[in-house]
Amino acid sequence: KEYMIPNGFSPNGDAINDLFVVPGLGYFENISITVFNRWGSLVYKSDNYQNDWNGNNMNNEELVDDTYYYIIDIQCYKKFQNFVVIKRK
């Protein structure tokens, strides 16, 4: 079954679309995500992703509204690579 990974989210605290949620990930274990900015610098990483990325970097600072690139690796299944837009306003 193909995944419909969102290409954007709006972590602005309104409780609507505040997290980067990939439907269906709960059926798997050992999911990692790495997120890079447009210059290729690592801004977020989780080796046990639980659909809980809120648009902050690894120091828990808000990332600016922009396009970011992710790799989601579902161990022993599939790897997804694409972009996601953060837009708070």
Side-chain angles (χ1 to χ4, degrees), residues 68-86:
Y68 296 88
Y69 302 89
Y70 65 80
I71 300 170
I72 297 173
D73 187 3
I74 303 173
Q75 196 172 44
C76 299
Y77 177 63
K78 194 168 186 176
K79 188 180 287 191
F80 301 92
Q81 301 178 42
N82 213 333
F83 72 92
V84 62
V85 175
I86 293 177

Side-chain angles (χ1 to χ4, degrees), residues 36-42 64 66-69:
F36 304 90
N37 64 18
R38 64 176 58 222
W39 298 281
S41 298
L42 178 68
V64 298
D66 206 348
T67 301
Y68 296 88
Y69 302 89

Side-chain angles (χ1 to χ4, degrees), residues 2 20 26 34 40-41 45 51 54 58 74-75 80 85 87:
E2 288 300 313
F20 182 59
T34 49
S41 298
K45 180 172 177 51
N51 280 329
N54 62 359
M58 292 181 293
I74 303 173
Q75 196 172 44
F80 301 92
V85 175
K87 186 163 181 152

Side-chain angles (χ1 to χ4, degrees), residues 31-51:
I31 301 163
S32 68
I33 184 173
T34 49
V35 182
F36 304 90
N37 64 18
R38 64 176 58 222
W39 298 281
S41 298
L42 178 68
V43 295
Y44 180 79
K45 180 172 177 51
S46 173
D47 291 326
N48 183 26
Y49 190 58
Q50 302 292 315
N51 280 329

